């Protein structure tokens, strides 16, 4: 676990985030670029079964997914939890023929973008979300 400026990483699997300090700095810079202030952000890494259980219990969805975001924003503070399936990240990276870290970072920023208010239900929203992901990924300081 690592904490800075209200951002914490937890793992409920054997996964360990590489370059936590770089990821923390990148997330803080992304928030600043969006004129947002992070109160707290918990990023929790788990396996497929763990995220499936959350998906079933809280969203009533019975399928695997790569990320689930819970928004607890208060006033102008960004607060929330981003649950990420490491199994899905591995599989998606393999299917898309991209690096594990690139897919992981895309999913992390995707979850944070949800907390910033971006949606991905409509085609237009998905396009904007993807463009924001594409904008922030190259800004990683690592």
């Amino acid at each position: 676990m690592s904490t800075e400026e209200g951002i914490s990483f937890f793992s409920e699997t054997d996964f360990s985030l590489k370059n936590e300090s770089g990821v923390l700095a990148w997330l803080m810079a992304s928030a600043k670029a969006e004129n947002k202030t992070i109160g707290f952000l918990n990023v929790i890494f788990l396996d497929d079964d763990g995220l499936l259980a959350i998906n079933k219990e809280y969203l009533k969805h019975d399928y695997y997914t790569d990320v689930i975001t819970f928004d607890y924003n208060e006033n102008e503070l960004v607060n929330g939890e981003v649950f990420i399936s490491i199994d899905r990240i591995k599989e998606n990276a393999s299917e898309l023929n991209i690096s594990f870290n690139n897919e992981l970072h895309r999913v992390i920023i995707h979850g944070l973008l949800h907390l910033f208010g971006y949606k991905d239900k409509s085609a237009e929203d998905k396009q904007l979300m993807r463009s924001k992901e594409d904008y922030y990924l190259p800004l990683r300081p690592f």
Side-chain angles (χ1 to χ4, degrees):
M1 181 188 96
S2 183
T3 302
E4 179 178 303
E5 302 291 330
I7 300 175
S8 300
F9 298 103
F10 303 92
S11 185
E12 296 184 10
T13 182
D14 63 355
F15 174 75
S16 178
L17 182 65
K18 291 180 176 62
N19 197 358
E20 284 186 11
S21 61
V23 174
L24 288 165
W26 172 55
L27 295 176
M28 292 304 297
S30 300
K32 185 175 182 179
E34 292 283 329
N35 295 312
K36 303 290 184 183
T37 301
I38 295 177
F40 79 87
L41 172 64
N42 293 329
V43 180
I44 302 100
F45 304 106
L46 20 69
D47 61 17
D48 266 349
D49 291 335
L51 198 56
L52 178 61
I54 291 169
N55 210 9
K56 286 179 179 179
E57 181 175 349
Y58 295 99
L59 302 177
K60 308 302 182 216
H61 299 157
D62 189 7
Y63 54 81
Y64 292 116
T65 188
D66 53 1
V67 61
I68 296 175
T69 303
F70 291 98
D71 182 335
Y72 308 126
N73 291 343
E74 289 184 22
N75 302 316
E76 297 300 313
L77 281 182
V78 173
N79 297 309
E81 295 179 311
V82 177
F83 291 85
I84 296 173
S85 169
I86 294 302
D87 295 332
R88 290 295 95 214
I89 301 302
K90 288 177 185 172
E91 187 168 312
N92 292 346
S94 176
E95 287 178 8
L96 297 169
N97 198 28
I98 60 174
S99 75
F100 171 84
N101 281 335
N102 194 58
E103 179 64 6
L104 175 66
H105 296 147
R106 179 176 297 279
V107 172
I108 290 171
I109 198 67
H110 181 94
L112 185 57
L113 289 167
H114 273 305
L115 296 175
F116 292 163
Y118 294 99
K119 309 290 182 211
D120 60 2
K121 294 298 180 196
S122 72
E124 186 177 311
D125 288 345
K126 285 179 185 176
Q127 183 179 15
L128 178 58
M129 177 73 85
R130 181 52 61 122
S131 72
K132 286 290 185 175
E133 293 168 5
D134 290 342
Y135 176 79
Y136 287 112
L137 277 171
L139 300 180
R140 295 172 290 181
F142 46 91

